[in-house]
Amino acid sequence: MANSTQTIYTDATIITLNSSRDIILNGFIIVTDSRITAIGSISSLPDALPTNIQTTSLQGRIVIPGLINTHAHLAQSILRGLAEDLPLHNWLCDSIWPLESCYEGDDGYVAARLTCAEMLKSGTTCFLEAMCTHRAGFEGVVKAVGESGIRGCIGKLVKFEETNKDLNITDPRDRDLSSMSIPSMLSAHEEFDGSYDDRIHVWAAAGTPRGSPLSSHHEIGKTCKKHDIGLTMHCAEAPKDLEIYRSQYDMTPMEFCQQAELTGAKTVLAHMVHLDLATDLPILKETGTTVAHNPNSNLKLASGIAKIPEMLEADINVSLGTDGAPCGNTYDMFREMHLASILHKGANQNASLTTAEQVLEMATRNGARALGLEKEIGSLEVGKKADFVVINPNGVGCAPWDVEQVSEGGISPVTVVVHSCTGRDVEMVVVDGKVLVKAGNLVSGDEDKILNAAKMSVKGIRQRSGIKVGKRAGWKYV
């Protein structure tokens, strides 16, 4: 393998997420260029290794496949904290949509750089952008993702008029409808899909049906099927959404999606909180459609709790997503895993539901399947892309974790990862064989510049939109 670069990572606890769910307690991974070429127990390591191979010891560390965030708004990180304690309808109409409509210049690029930095530093190696609006600037978002080194599927928003007086909805983004059309999505797909060494894929992000014609949404579905383009959509998120589907279309959410050809193995429907379970779960199962679970966002916006245990029982593919910073305040998938696990236990008063193992699968294997990338990522196996995360579990927050006691009945490394770790415990991140985070810091990209640019962008957006965070009764700045 002349001209190839090889690195061996040794002495780690490796949660492979392979088909047999092997956890290697003292293992190694050999990476050649962008792929894993060997993985196993240290005891099976060949005696003779290439003389030019680079060696990195991961003594005392836990290695997991890169986390896959299947519902994230890249351009919203700079709106963090600007729409607190609001239900979804007011959150959108009174704050987020007006703010997004005031993006200018490089604001979308600046926001996407910040989001990519946060995701990488907290262990996300691949994501699905949920809805890249026109004002965010699709080309700038692609550039930010490409420069960061992360892997991503970027959803180009295709929407129809959402301003609806009957539903009391006003969407200032409607003035940009011509730039959020099916032809504009196809143009973006042709130009950017497969760019940056095939790390970037362009998807369609369908606007949420709120009275717009079913025939219009059907055009999106048919177009995606014709061109083999992935499709994502916010669906049945708000408490009134099931009622809207029934009153506007005389259908359940999944009956609508099926008729509009919005379902399939490369469709990710986010939220899915308010469904007709008897009708909708069988359609999800039959069509192979994925549900992106967003517990943090759904709780903060008081949208409700998705019926995830029922979906898992029905063998529906469920992945995880953080949503955007204004509705969850973080892109940390560790926090999302922990919440996804404990939420359904409490809501159902059944401690056996949504185990740590299940939610780690949601954040890795299931996410890869959702994006049609299960042959490339989602588990640590020979031949797959070298996308992995190295966690340091040796702080007080993970104690008394001890790899030497695992086989004797000590703490499971999966429990440590899901319930004790956060993104701040991430030490190293590798994507496509390249180390992008080392010692908890970005290898490339000036974090101070990223942060300062974000502060400047949000200041301008706030000034143009006129939206301010109100003062809290009984609280004052001094």
Side-chain angles (χ1 to χ4, degrees):
M1 292 187 179
N3 302 321
S4 291
T5 300
Q6 281 195 305
T7 303
I8 181 170
Y9 299 89
T10 63
D11 309 312
T13 298
I14 304 171
I15 305 174
T16 67
L17 271 296
N18 63 12
S19 58
S20 57
R21 305 301 191 269
D22 292 327
I23 299 176
I24 307 169
L25 296 180
N26 186 17
F28 71 90
I29 301 174
I30 295 179
V31 174
T32 303
D33 296 329
S34 66
R35 296 193 180 271
I36 296 171
T37 50
I39 183 170
S41 173
I42 286 290
S43 61
S44 65
L45 188 64
D47 292 332
L49 293 171
T51 55
N52 63 341
I53 195 168
Q54 302 175 43
T55 301
T56 299
S57 174
L58 301 177
Q59 185 73 44
R61 276 42 174 183
I62 298 174
V63 177
I64 62 171
L67 299 173
I68 302 171
N69 186 342
T70 55
H71 188 73
H73 292 264
L74 262 66
Q76 287 187 357
S77 55
I78 55 176
L79 306 182
R80 193 187 327 255
L82 294 183
E84 295 294 293
D85 302 325
L86 296 172
L88 179 62
H89 179 90
N90 302 86
W91 182 86
L92 286 171
C93 295
D94 301 337
S95 295
I96 299 306
W97 286 345
L99 285 163
E100 287 185 329
S101 71
C102 291
Y103 278 41
E104 289 184 355
D106 285 338
D107 287 338
Y109 169 73
V110 168
R113 283 206 307 168
L114 177 62
T115 307
C116 289
E118 181 179 350
M119 287 196 292
L120 282 170
K121 291 187 67 174
S122 57
T124 291
T125 59
C126 182
F127 66 87
L128 172 57
E129 154 59 51
M131 184 184 287
C132 191
T133 63
H134 169 65
R135 297 273 164 170
F138 195 83
E139 185 173 351
V141 170
V142 169
K143 179 184 176 185
V145 173
E147 290 174 347
S148 75
I150 201 170
R151 194 181 305 280
C153 299
I154 305 176
K156 175 78 166 67
L157 177 58
V158 179
K159 77 184 291 291
F160 312 103
E161 187 171 351
E162 290 192 58
T163 297
N164 187 322
K165 292 182 179 179
D166 293 337
L167 298 175
N168 194 29
I169 293 173
T170 302
D171 186 354
R173 303 173 306 166
D174 284 347
R175 69 176 186 258
D176 297 321
L177 286 178
S178 63
S179 299
M180 294 183 284
S181 63
I182 291 174
S184 66
M185 180 273 292
L186 288 174
S187 177
H189 184 269
E190 182 177 357
E191 183 173 358
F192 297 111
D193 190 68
S195 59
Y196 289 95
D197 297 323
D198 203 36
R199 284 188 290 105
I200 291 178
H201 299 278
V202 176
W203 280 41
T208 304
R210 295 188 178 97
S212 48
L214 185 148
S215 59
S216 298
H217 294 272
H218 195 188
E219 287 302 315
I220 301 176
K222 289 190 294 184
T223 300
C224 289
K225 292 284 194 296
K226 178 180 178 181
H227 296 275
D228 191 29
I229 296 173
L231 185 150
T232 188
M233 186 177 82
H234 296 67
C235 187
E237 178 180 4
K240 291 185 178 180
D241 278 358
L242 179 57
E243 176 187 329
I244 290 173
Y245 276 100
R246 284 175 169 156
S247 65
Q248 299 291 316
Y249 307 106
D250 194 27
M251 299 177 191
T252 70
M254 286 311 300
E255 285 176 330
F256 178 94
C257 291
Q258 189 171 42
Q259 286 211 22
E261 295 190 57
L262 301 175
T263 58
K266 283 186 73 174
T267 292
V268 177
L269 298 178
H271 303 296
M272 303 294 278
V273 179
H274 299 281
L275 302 176
D276 181 324
L277 296 185
T279 300
D280 291 339
L281 294 193
I283 296 174
L284 281 166
K285 168 61 177 173
E286 291 162 10
T287 59
T289 302
T290 290
V291 171
H293 183 33
N294 310 273
N296 187 18
S297 166
N298 294 155
L299 290 176
K300 182 160 188 179
L301 297 179
S303 297
I305 300 173
K307 300 295 185 181
I308 298 303
E310 290 85 348
M311 294 179 192
L312 294 174
E313 180 67 24
D315 199 25
I316 293 163
N317 190 50
V318 179
S319 58
L320 278 182
T322 60
D323 212 335
C327 59
N329 301 82
T330 180
Y331 293 91
D332 186 342
M333 283 284 284
F334 286 87
R335 292 172 64 176
E336 207 73 34
M337 285 193 292
H338 172 64
L339 182 57
S341 180
I342 64 173
L343 171 62
H344 302 286
K345 299 175 188 293
N348 293 277
Q349 297 182 27
N350 184 344
S352 69
L353 296 177
T354 47
T355 64
E357 289 76 12
Q358 285 178 308
V359 296
L360 184 56
E361 289 174 355
M362 290 181 203
T364 53
R365 290 180 63 94
N366 295 9
R369 177 181 166 190
L371 304 183
L373 296 174
E374 64 267 35
K375 293 183 179 178
E376 294 289 312
I377 59 175
S379 60
L380 301 178
E381 302 179 68
V382 171
K384 286 197 171 185
K385 288 288 188 177
D387 289 13
F388 59 86
V389 176
V390 179
I391 302 161
N392 184 346
N394 297 306
V396 294
C398 296
W401 154 254
D402 180 5
V403 66
E404 300 296 333
Q405 297 186 43
V406 172
S407 59
E408 303 170 356
I411 307 169
S412 161
V414 178
T415 298
V416 172
V417 167
V418 171
H419 291 308
S420 297
C421 291
T422 72
R424 291 182 176 87
D425 295 306
V426 169
E427 194 168 75
M428 178 186 292
V429 175
V430 177
V431 179
D432 227 29
K434 298 182 177 67
V435 177
L436 301 183
V437 175
K438 189 174 183 179
N441 297 310
L442 296 177
V443 172
S444 63
D446 187 320
E447 286 189 44
D448 286 338
K449 287 184 178 180
I450 291 172
L451 295 173
N452 289 331
K455 293 173 185 177
M456 292 300 297
S457 278
V458 73
K459 184 175 182 178
I461 292 167
R462 283 195 304 100
Q463 290 174 341
R464 291 189 294 273
S465 69
I467 291 176
K468 299 179 180 180
V469 175
K471 294 181 179 179
R472 299 288 177 149
W475 295 72
K476 62 181 179 180
Y477 300 114
V478 295

